[in-house]
Structure formats: structure tokens, C-alpha cells
Amino acid sequence: MNREWKAFVFGMIGVNLVLALLLVLVYGGQTQATLAALGARVPLLLSGSPDFSSFEGGFVANVAISLWAFLLAGVGGTALGIALIAQNPFVSVPASLLMNILRNSPWLVVLYAMLYLLPFEIDAFGTTLYLSPVVKSVIGLAFPVTANIAEVFRGGIEAIPSGQWESARALGYRRLQILRYVVVPQALPLMTPNLMTTYAMLFIGTSLVVVTGAADVLSMARTVIGSDGAHLATAVYIFVLFLFFVFAFPIAILTRWLERRVRVPS
């Protein structure tokens, strides 16, 4: 992992130096005072509370939304991927149509659709379920990511040589058994780098959930700018960019390493 380690160190140092230089160029002699003001708002930007007394918003919300959306999309994408490779055209054709619709839908449009199409509360069996902006954000992001995961699943399955299927059939395995016990265990290492790339893309996409009213880091950034003044806006958004980079960049490096491991046998 020597090559990726060098890229990680260079990227972390280089990008952070560029962000620091940009901050100095913008604020000049006021940089120290700006950093002090920003430091006082870091808890709010990270956790949604001014003193880390709760973790229901801020950057934590972005991470949580991405994880829940990826989990939901993983379940849906696996089911859709199985439908895509089905031999019955009455299953595979509608699945392919659904996958293409979801995959080519703008994420922002889907989030707006979930905001207005889903009710704020659902009464079922005497229980009221509240659909908060966070829940709507999770559902909205999960839809397009489901299509991406389904395509990753299909690509991983199709990468396995057909001889594996034929050998398993000769042993008496049914199609779903072949998938479960023979093909998927071999395809999973091939799919993992693409799944990680999909998650990184999803995490970056959580910056869009501000349109739903979720208390994410950009929503908190607006709150800080509104209370402390527009002069702090550049510093706040540079800090938000720093947070996204620090979280997503290691995933990209690890993905590159895994791709090289998959391509080159050890």
C-alpha cells in the first residue's frame, strides 16, 4: 500500500495547505480572529449543538444520513440486481427500466420529490409515524443509489466466468443457490471497490439534503453565518469543505488500493 500511502499523505497535506492559504488570502490580518470565531462554532457545525450536548445535526447528520441511505440502498440494490440478471424477461425488463429511471434521475429533483410527495406523518394500526426531513433525505438519496448498487451487482456477477455456473449446475445447484454459494462470494471482492466509490459519491451527495430542511452541516453553516455575520461565510464554507474532504478522501485512497489488489493477484 506504499503508493496509496504516499498519495494519502500528499493529498492530506497538500489540500489542507491550499485551504489554509486560501483562508489567509481572504482574511489577511484578520485570519487569527476569524479562526477564533470559527473555533467557537465548531461544535455546532459538527454536532448541531453549541456544546456537543447532542449529536442530532451538523456533520454527524451527514454521516448518519449517508450510512442509513447506503444500508437501505444496499438492500434494494441487491434485490434489483438479482432481478436484472433474472432469466425471465417479465422480471428483468421492468427491473432494467426501473434501474435506468432511478440511475438517471437528478438527486436534487428526487429529494424535492420526497419532500413534497411523502407525508409528514403516517397513521398505521393506531400508531403515528413521523417522517422527519432526515427520514425523507435518507429515502430520497437511497433511490438513485439503489440503481447504482444494482448495476455494480450485475457487473460483479457478470465478471464471474460462465464455467462457474456450469460447474455448479452439474453438481445439482439451482440458480439462486449458485448465486448464494458460488458466484456472489467470488464477485463480492470485485464489487467492493465500486461499492466504496458509490458510498463516497453518496456521502458527498448528502450536501444536497439541506433542501429538505434537515439539520445537516450546511444548514448549521447557514445558522452560523446568519448569527455571526456574512464576513465569516468564507471561513465556514472552507471548514465544511475540509470536513467533507477529510472524510471522503481516505475512502478514495482505500478504494484505489482495493482495485489494485483485485486486478493484480498476490
Side-chain angles (χ1 to χ4, degrees):
M1 199 176 176
N2 188 43
R3 184 190 309 172
E4 285 73 22
W5 175 250
K6 289 180 180 178
F8 173 76
V9 173
F10 178 79
M12 293 297 290
I13 295 176
V15 171
N16 289 329
L17 282 177
V18 169
L19 294 178
L21 179 61
L22 179 61
L23 195 67
V24 172
L25 289 176
V26 171
Y27 290 98
Q30 298 297 318
T31 302
Q32 186 174 356
T34 301
L35 288 175
L38 179 62
R41 293 301 189 178
V42 166
L44 184 63
L45 292 170
L46 289 178
S47 67
S49 65
D51 54 359
F52 291 118
S53 58
S54 65
F55 293 88
E56 299 178 353
F59 190 69
V60 171
N62 291 80
V63 176
I65 289 171
S66 68
L67 292 174
W68 279 109
F70 191 74
L71 178 63
L72 184 61
V75 175
T78 301
L80 185 58
I82 293 174
L84 287 173
I85 62 174
Q87 294 179 322
N88 189 338
F90 290 101
V91 176
S92 61
V93 172
S96 180
L97 179 62
L98 177 61
M99 185 274 293
N100 281 286
I101 291 175
L102 293 178
R103 194 178 184 189
N104 293 285
S105 298
W107 292 24
L108 191 61
V109 173
V110 176
L111 284 171
Y112 271 120
M114 293 303 102
L115 178 63
Y116 292 106
L117 291 179
L118 294 178
F120 288 99
E121 60 181 45
I122 299 176
D123 293 322
F125 305 105
T127 303
T128 301
L129 301 176
Y130 295 95
L131 300 182
S132 66
V134 171
V135 174
K136 293 184 178 183
S137 299
V138 169
I139 297 173
L141 290 176
F143 273 119
V145 176
T146 293
N148 285 282
I149 292 179
E151 189 64 18
V152 169
F153 183 88
R154 179 170 66 176
I157 296 302
E158 292 179 348
I160 302 302
S162 59
Q164 298 288 331
W165 290 87
E166 295 168 1
S167 299
R169 288 193 189 99
L171 293 174
Y173 284 93
R174 294 190 297 272
R175 184 172 177 82
L176 288 180
Q177 289 177 321
I178 297 173
L179 273 175
R180 180 179 178 183
Y181 297 112
V182 179
V183 176
V184 171
Q186 297 180 69
L188 191 57
L190 302 177
M191 292 188 286
T192 299
N194 289 329
L195 290 174
M196 292 178 63
T197 301
T198 302
Y199 173 72
M201 178 178 63
L202 167 62
F203 172 73
I204 294 172
T206 60
S207 60
L208 300 174
V209 303
V210 65
V211 303
T212 67
D216 72 316
V217 66
L218 285 180
S219 178
M220 294 299 102
R222 289 182 175 182
T223 301
V224 170
I225 294 169
S227 61
D228 293 1
H231 68 281
L232 199 60
T234 300
V236 169
Y237 285 119
I238 287 177
F239 181 69
V240 171
L241 177 60
F242 165 78
L243 291 176
F244 274 90
F245 173 77
V246 167
F247 189 90
F249 184 64
I251 298 176
I253 295 296
L254 183 58
T255 300
R256 188 183 307 173
W257 176 72
L258 288 173
E259 287 176 344
R260 188 160 59 87
R261 293 274 297 190
V262 169
R263 285 199 307 265
V264 182
S266 55

